[in-house]
Amino acid sequence: MDFTYHVEGGDFTNAGSTSSEVKRMLKKLGVSPDIVKKTVVALYEAEVNIVAHAYRGDINVDLEEDKVRIVLADEGPGIPNIDWAMQKGNSTASQKVREMGFGAGMGLPNIQNNSDELKIDSVVGQGTTIEFVNYFNK
Amino acid sequence: MTIEEISTLVQGEFVCGESFKNREVARVFASDLMSDVLTIRDTEGLLLLTGLCNLQSIRTCEMSDIQLMLVVRGKVVTDEMIELAEDNDMVIVRTAFSLYKTAGILYGAGIPAIY
């Protein structure tokens, strides 16, 4: 099964609505609560990142028998130094994002901690693609 | 201790989820940083004590399977937040006390911290 959702940059009212839908779907399919939680925590952090940093993005959720693969591709400023961004505490978030309870440089490390496989590609001036996979039997 | 007993201790009021007032609170985590809340793996019986009162604090509870939230300083909880909280069977209690005072009362009552 394959689903795609659209996310608008700056739309803090709806930030998390895709994660919410995916959570409902995974629960309905009987995926174990631990896997549902780690998947939606990683997805929510990544969704908030699109809202906080990008102009727009698409989230593709691919459900297979043994795993879920989620790809978040955004159009935005990109990440100049991924290694720097992966370190806890490093962030370029605006004051607005910080007021929402994010922007402390924990998002990417949280995504890493809640995914079995993670790949980040970014082109400065074009955008960022985050792909992560979680296996159901772990 | 139940969420109702906690509400009484901090002179709080139920904003939503009063029908779940007998839920047990096992531990408390106090934070305004939602990314920090999202790091907690075991959220069974966890009460989130926070001064951050917006849609994202409710969303964070939704993703983290946290069903008990105590908002300090009498912050306004909007209808949109209540609707989202109710969709997730959450309890929201509000107190006029500060985060520091509320945390002190709960810690003094013997409710364990998460770290």
Side-chain angles (χ1 to χ4, degrees):
Chain A
M1 284 190 287
D2 192 87
F3 305 88
T4 300
Y5 306 87
H6 185 73
V7 179
E8 276 299 311
D11 183 5
F12 285 100
T13 305
N14 288 309
S17 54
T18 297
S19 305
S20 184
E21 274 190 50
V22 172
K23 182 176 185 182
R24 273 196 295 272
M25 182 168 66
L26 293 175
K27 275 171 82 173
K28 212 169 158 184
L29 289 168
V31 176
S32 81
D34 285 359
I35 306 292
V36 172
K37 186 172 167 184
K38 66 186 264 194
T39 302
V40 298
V41 165
L43 174 57
Y44 180 49
E45 286 279 17
E47 186 180 353
V48 167
N49 270 352
I50 294 179
V51 175
H53 298 285
Y55 314 129
R56 65 194 66 81
D58 284 321
I59 299 175
N60 181 263
V61 179
D62 182 20
L63 274 165
E64 294 173 37
E65 203 168 311
D66 62 332
K67 62 180 176 285
V68 56
R69 178 188 305 277
I70 299 182
V71 180
L72 302 100
D74 73 46
E75 290 172 41
I79 306 170
N81 185 336
I82 293 174
D83 289 339
W84 181 86
M86 287 299 291
Q87 286 171 44
K88 213 171 163 179
N90 290 346
S91 177
T92 58
S94 65
Q95 188 56 35
K96 167 106 179 143
V97 175
R98 292 171 203 266
E99 281 167 13
M100 301 304 292
F102 294 90
M106 295 177 75
L108 290 177
N110 269 357
I111 295 168
Q112 189 167 45
N113 289 336
N114 285 286
S115 57
D116 296 329
E117 291 168 14
L118 171 66
K119 202 165 75 181
I120 302 174
D121 288 312
S122 193
V123 178
V124 173
Q126 288 185 26
T128 301
T129 300
I130 289 182
E131 177 178 347
F132 70 89
V133 178
N134 278 344
Y135 292 90
F136 296 147
N137 59 356
K138 279 200 173 176
Chain B
M1 192 174 289
T2 65
I3 185 67
E4 186 181 30
E5 289 168 320
I6 283 176
S7 179
T8 303
L9 279 178
V10 299
Q11 295 174 27
E13 56 170 345
F14 280 83
V15 176
C16 70
E18 197 169 357
S19 57
F20 303 115
K21 64 186 180 187
N22 291 323
R23 272 194 193 143
E24 283 290 325
V25 176
R27 294 167 303 162
V28 175
F29 187 67
S31 183
D32 288 351
L33 179 57
M34 295 303 105
S35 277
D36 208 7
V37 177
L38 288 164
T39 62
I40 303 167
R41 287 282 169 94
D42 179 10
T43 50
E44 183 75 37
L46 183 71
L47 171 72
L48 174 64
L49 175 58
T50 186
L52 188 82
C53 193
N54 59 28
L55 265 179
Q56 296 315 315
S57 49
I58 310 290
R59 283 271 183 228
T60 297
C61 288
E62 179 189 8
M63 300 311 153
S64 298
D65 296 330
I66 295 171
Q67 291 190 305
L68 301 164
M69 185 173 172
L70 175 49
V71 178
V72 298
R73 296 285 290 127
K75 298 268 171 73
V76 175
V77 183
T78 64
D79 290 345
E80 216 175 359
M81 291 168 63
I82 292 171
E83 196 182 327
L84 186 58
E86 284 176 341
D87 281 349
N88 289 284
D89 293 338
M90 274 178 68
V91 178
I92 302 178
V93 172
R94 175 171 50 204
T95 176
F97 295 167
S98 68
L99 187 67
Y100 178 68
K101 183 171 174 174
T102 308
I105 290 169
L106 299 189
Y107 193 77
I111 304 165
I114 198 157
Y115 293 115

